[in-house]
Amino acid sequence: MRIGIDGGTWGNARGYGRFTRELLDALAKIDLRNSYTLFLDPFTATDGIPRNIEIITVPIHASPSRAASADGFRSPRDMWTFSRALAKTPIDVIFFPSVYTFVPVLRKMKCVVTIHDVIPERFPQYVFKNARARLFWTLKTQLAVRQATRVLTVSEHARRGIEKYFQLAPEKICVTSEAPAHAFRPIADRAAVRAALQRFRISPDARVVMYLGGITPHKNVSMLVSVFAELIRDETFADLKLLIVGDYAGEVFYSEFPALRAQVDGSCRDAVIFTGYVDDDTAAHLLNGVQVCVLPSLDEGFGLPGIEAAACGTPVIATRASALPELLGDAALYIDPTRPEELRAALERVLQDEALRSKMQQLGIENARKLTWEAAAERVLQVFGELA
């Protein structure tokens, strides 16, 4: 079977891009029966693409990842060009690793579209900059769902949301997973861990709370900052630092950074560090040096930063509105992302209970190890096989 893959998110540094890259890499390693063609734009580097994947570069005028995220609008000309390239290529299945860069399918073929979550449907005010972006997204996703032979998603939590918001029959939705990259692991070299912290002016003996992820409104980082600012007024926690790890300079989604920066400056400026973008290796070293990682999002289709933290042996406090309760179990503490008092209680408990941290560390490593990109790819292969 000849499978085409939309590479519109390949160069995206966030979760969509990681899903595309890791999944395609795993498929290239384990699938010896099917052939793959990756459709890229001229602005995306081909570094890291497996050698057994055919590449077709489509001559469009703007990167799909950036064009779709800046204001929710891609030019009709570029979308038509991309759709035509898919239609002219002899493929049996077209796979969109994210509905985010979906384009209309112009000829009859099997189509698999990945919808990672229903955050745009649940919280449009936190995702779209204007009404045009919201309308464009709605039209695009409705067409994608209609043209999809199967809708793929990344967790049972996300599947339930898709069923509710898109009114799809359960048999049309297939679930795979995500997994931590190899960089996320326990690191025995404590000198390297201390050096990573010192790079961001954090003392090696400091107690650190860490956030890892995007700086977008639905991530709810503002609640974390508010709770942290109150917490450090207590002498017991006056030494705490908050490390916010995420790309704010190159953010192409709806960014909360200006408001978040102002909030920090007005309440806890000397105790909060914004790192900006860091690579996986640096993020893993930081996770190995902090006391707890917090993921307070209003919703997560999966919650990969929580899995990455757990894979490093870092205790996790996470939103209940995610796949993490079903994946990490007792390896994490879970909060209602609308109740700051729950977050404060969870922070106090983890920071003060060494035995609890040790238990969460061991369980987190064990549970995160159960998730692999090879297993995720096997499930996607089953979906392709059902369509053959």
Side-chain angles (χ1 to χ4, degrees):
M1 190 160 55
R2 293 161 299 184
I3 300 166
I5 299 179
D6 166 39
T9 58
W10 181 273
N12 187 291
R14 291 274 298 274
Y16 294 160
R18 183 181 296 277
F19 180 80
T20 303
R21 292 186 297 272
E22 295 279 6
L23 190 62
L24 186 53
D25 184 63
L27 285 169
K29 289 176 181 175
I30 67 174
D31 186 5
L32 304 179
R33 297 174 58 188
N34 301 305
S35 63
Y36 293 89
T37 300
L38 181 66
F39 294 85
L40 286 180
D41 58 85
F43 309 95
T44 297
T46 58
D47 300 344
I49 297 176
R51 292 184 177 181
N52 56 338
I53 303 295
E54 179 189 13
I55 299 172
I56 291 180
T57 301
V58 183
I60 57 177
H61 297 85
S63 162
S65 181
R66 180 165 292 275
S69 48
D71 62 1
F73 180 78
R74 289 168 71 183
S75 77
R77 180 181 177 183
D78 276 0
M79 293 185 72
W80 171 254
T81 302
F82 216 95
S83 292
R84 286 287 295 161
L86 300 182
K88 291 189 296 183
T89 306
I91 53 177
D92 303 302
V93 176
I94 179 62
F95 173 44
F96 292 93
S98 172
V99 70
Y100 176 62
T101 52
F102 174 83
V103 294
V105 179
L106 300 181
R107 68 172 174 86
K108 187 175 182 180
M109 71 174 91
K110 302 295 176 64
C111 178
V112 179
V113 178
T114 308
I115 299 178
H116 288 257
D117 54 60
V118 290
I119 293 167
E121 287 71 34
R122 287 192 65 199
F123 304 105
Q125 70 274 27
Y126 297 144
V127 176
F128 304 110
K129 293 182 178 180
N130 51 54
R132 184 184 71 166
R134 181 174 179 179
L135 175 62
F136 186 79
W137 175 269
T138 300
L139 294 174
K140 177 174 63 175
T141 52
Q142 287 178 350
L143 178 60
V145 167
R146 283 201 302 271
Q147 291 199 316
T149 315
R150 293 286 187 276
V151 170
L152 185 71
T153 193
V154 293
S155 70
E156 287 297 324
H157 170 75
R159 180 191 61 78
R160 291 189 291 270
I162 291 167
E163 276 192 40
K164 175 182 177 182
Y165 282 92
F166 292 98
Q167 299 294 299
L168 290 182
E171 59 269 20
K172 189 172 181 176
I173 308 172
C174 304
V175 178
T176 183
S177 184
E178 297 184 25
H182 295 301
F184 295 96
R185 79 260 181 226
I187 296 173
D189 185 351
R190 303 313 295 175
V193 171
R194 290 193 294 270
L197 291 169
Q198 288 173 328
R199 172 181 164 187
F200 298 103
R201 304 180 306 281
I202 296 177
S203 169
D205 57 353
R207 292 191 298 169
V208 184
V209 176
M210 180 167 159
Y211 166 78
L212 174 64
I215 314 296
T216 45
H218 80 273
K219 295 294 187 179
N220 205 24
V221 185
S222 59
M223 186 184 83
L224 172 58
V225 170
S226 177
V227 170
F228 177 82
E230 291 182 1
L231 187 62
I232 59 175
R233 294 191 186 105
D234 184 330
E235 288 186 5
T236 306
F237 305 104
D239 64 312
L240 284 179
K241 300 293 183 184
L242 173 60
L243 194 60
I244 299 178
V245 181
D247 184 6
Y248 57 82
E251 179 64 83
V252 294
F253 292 96
Y254 192 0
S255 177
E256 193 184 26
F257 178 70
L260 203 60
R261 176 79 266 182
Q263 181 186 6
V264 166
D265 288 347
S267 60
C268 48
R269 181 175 186 173
D270 295 335
V272 178
I273 300 97
F274 291 91
T275 68
Y277 170 79
V278 301
D279 59 29
D280 286 352
D281 189 60
T282 301
H285 278 77
L286 292 173
L287 284 167
N288 272 266
V290 305
Q291 275 59 52
V292 61
C293 181
V294 181
L295 189 67
S297 308
L298 296 173
D299 194 8
E300 290 281 348
F302 188 79
L304 186 57
I307 298 295
E308 291 168 342
C312 292
T314 308
V316 174
I317 297 172
T319 175
R320 290 193 189 98
S322 68
L324 295 175
E326 64 198 63
L327 296 172
L328 290 181
D330 292 340
L333 299 182
Y334 305 101
I335 61 162
D336 180 332
T338 66
R339 298 179 64 87
E341 67 273 17
E342 288 191 14
L343 176 55
R344 173 158 183 168
L347 280 168
E348 290 180 348
R349 185 180 172 195
V350 170
L351 291 167
Q352 293 182 302
D353 191 335
E354 186 176 349
L356 175 63
R357 290 198 304 275
S358 179
K359 176 186 174 182
M360 293 171 74
Q361 178 183 41
Q362 290 303 119
L363 286 174
I365 293 170
E366 292 172 12
N367 290 341
R369 281 176 178 167
K370 297 174 184 177
L371 300 170
T372 67
W373 284 109
E374 288 74 18
E378 290 283 3
R379 178 58 186 132
V380 175
L381 275 180
Q382 290 178 15
V383 175
F384 293 156
E386 292 168 5
L387 302 181

